[in-house]
Amino acid sequence: MPFAQFDRSQLRLRPLAERKHDIDRSVLVAPDGPRQPFDHPALDDLAERIVRGARAGRTVLFACGAHVLRTGNGPLLIDLMRRGLLTHLALNGAGAIHDFELAMIGATCESVARYVRTGEFGLWRETGRINEAAVAGYRAGIGLGEAIGRMIEDERFPYRQTSVLAAGVRLGVPVTVHVAIGQDILHEHPNFDPAATGATSYTDFLIYTQSITKLDGGAYLNLGTAVMGPEVYLKALTMARNVAAQRGESIKNFVTAVFDLPDLGGDLRAEAPKTDPRYYFRPYKTVLVRTVADGGTSHYVQGDHRLTVPALYDRIVRRDAGARGGPVASP
């Protein structure tokens, strides 16, 4: 006997105009805007390795959790893409939703505590259009990130200039979206097509893996993503190394970094034992230890994304200007 399934056709969707938004465009950080001071000894080395790798045609990949965009860093990521210093941006499903909503209405984010009580959390009509983009992307044979970015660009969303997904389409830089079905509000909607979303997100995984084949000499940064970032990176790196080994090549000379909030302690060169709760924080053991054990280097930068990402951006831009013989004034 088949198990009973929930009937999504019974759901009632409301327009975004009726939602109370927690975040608007006032959070966006401009490349030449004011900064809150932040310093960390790893930032200069990361900036040097990122600039050197990007200018040598190697992969510089940032995998971002949704809070990186919610704290306003989209314009900085776009500027790095425009300068050729960020060659691949990876998002989780929530990151794509926030980027889409900010591009469409200039606001995003809702109170879970408020709307889950009334059975309205995530059930907003316009946001569900991302599911339409997934279907269109599936038919076109492209990845989910490009499909959403095309919708934002083609329909000329009012705030598309600060959308990382739209920027990827304009600049020809892959912005991939890595979805776990059941985790995002889009999966509540009656128009959700799991086959289309699964296929387009898997296309993005293969695009991501192709970028990882050029990671030697480059950089991988895991910014505020505790599961998607390290897990997608681990599988992609394994695939890339498998093929490289068959050619007598290797992928081991690169730098990784984790930007996050937990205090992981001092020496992060060896993974914590299984009796230590830090062992189960995937970015620590996967990004900082295991995947760089054969010759790479890694850094942990603890702090709020409002502070850490702008500080890294500034150093990257200054380092690139210095390498090109241009002015090295602070942005």
Side-chain angles (χ1 to χ4, degrees):
M1 293 290 294
F3 294 109
Q5 298 184 34
F6 184 84
D7 179 6
R8 294 178 297 171
S9 68
Q10 300 178 76
L11 292 169
R12 181 184 64 182
L13 305 183
R14 291 175 58 192
L16 278 172
E18 296 180 5
R19 186 179 77 183
K20 180 177 175 56
H21 314 295
D22 291 346
I23 292 172
D24 60 29
R25 287 173 53 81
S26 65
V27 305
L28 296 180
V29 182
D32 58 353
R35 298 283 191 268
Q36 297 181 57
F38 180 85
D39 195 19
H40 191 282
L43 294 179
D44 285 331
D45 181 61
L46 284 171
E48 167 65 28
R49 300 284 291 271
I50 286 169
V51 170
R52 189 194 320 156
R55 294 307 176 204
R58 311 313 296 167
T59 289
V60 175
L61 194 157
F62 290 7
C64 297
H67 276 79
V68 175
L69 297 180
R70 286 174 53 168
T71 49
N73 291 298
L76 305 183
L77 300 175
I78 292 170
D79 194 55
L80 292 178
M81 293 160 63
R82 180 184 64 81
R83 294 171 182 266
L85 298 170
L86 175 58
T87 68
H88 190 130
L89 178 62
L91 305 176
N92 60 11
I97 292 167
H98 291 310
D99 187 75
F100 182 89
E101 290 184 345
L102 281 168
M104 175 182 275
I105 64 169
T108 190
C109 199
E110 62 189 297
S111 168
V112 177
R114 172 178 179 163
Y115 287 113
V116 74
R117 290 177 182 144
T118 57
E120 296 170 301
F121 172 64
L123 291 170
W124 309 103
R125 188 173 299 122
E126 295 89 342
T127 307
R129 294 210 59 217
I130 295 176
N131 291 331
E132 299 173 17
V135 172
Y138 176 59
R139 291 171 178 165
I142 61 176
L144 183 57
E146 183 179 357
I148 302 170
R150 281 190 185 182
M151 175 178 278
I152 294 170
E153 272 291 288
D154 293 347
E155 298 190 13
R156 303 182 66 81
F157 282 20
Y159 307 106
R160 63 189 179 281
Q161 294 301 318
T162 51
S163 160
V164 297
L165 290 162
V169 171
R170 290 194 304 271
L171 299 171
V173 175
V175 180
T176 53
V177 179
H178 305 273
V179 172
I181 290 179
Q183 287 191 172
D184 298 322
I185 60 172
L186 297 169
H187 310 161
E188 305 173 39
H189 287 234
N191 72 337
F192 175 62
D193 186 327
T197 297
T200 52
S201 189
Y202 190 71
T203 294
D204 272 352
F205 172 63
L206 297 180
I207 294 168
Y208 179 112
T209 304
Q210 181 61 28
S211 288
I212 292 292
T213 66
K214 299 180 180 179
L215 185 60
D216 201 72
Y220 168 76
L221 272 64
N222 191 94
L223 309 174
T225 167
V227 178
M228 181 281 290
E231 291 302 321
V232 174
Y233 161 69
L234 175 63
K235 280 70 174 185
L237 181 60
T238 299
M239 293 162 69
R241 281 178 166 170
N242 181 290
V243 173
Q246 296 178 57
R247 298 172 177 167
E249 301 169 356
S250 64
I251 305 173
K252 61 183 181 181
N253 178 30
F254 56 88
V255 65
T256 68
V258 173
F259 284 49
D260 221 311
L261 293 173
D263 181 358
L264 299 182
D267 186 4
L268 302 179
R269 291 171 295 182
E271 64 184 76
K274 291 183 178 181
T275 54
D276 187 328
R278 295 176 303 162
Y279 173 85
Y280 300 96
F281 182 59
R282 289 173 174 85
Y284 178 2
K285 62 186 177 185
T286 298
V287 180
L288 299 180
V289 182
R290 291 177 176 176
T291 57
V292 294
D294 297 320
T297 58
S298 65
H299 299 287
Y300 182 57
V301 178
Q302 181 186 6
D304 192 306
H305 302 312
R306 291 180 179 88
L307 307 179
T308 60
V309 177
L312 175 64
Y313 166 86
D314 290 346
R315 283 165 175 79
I316 293 172
V317 171
R318 286 200 298 266
R319 184 59 57 97
D320 187 52
R324 291 168 172 264
V328 193
S330 298

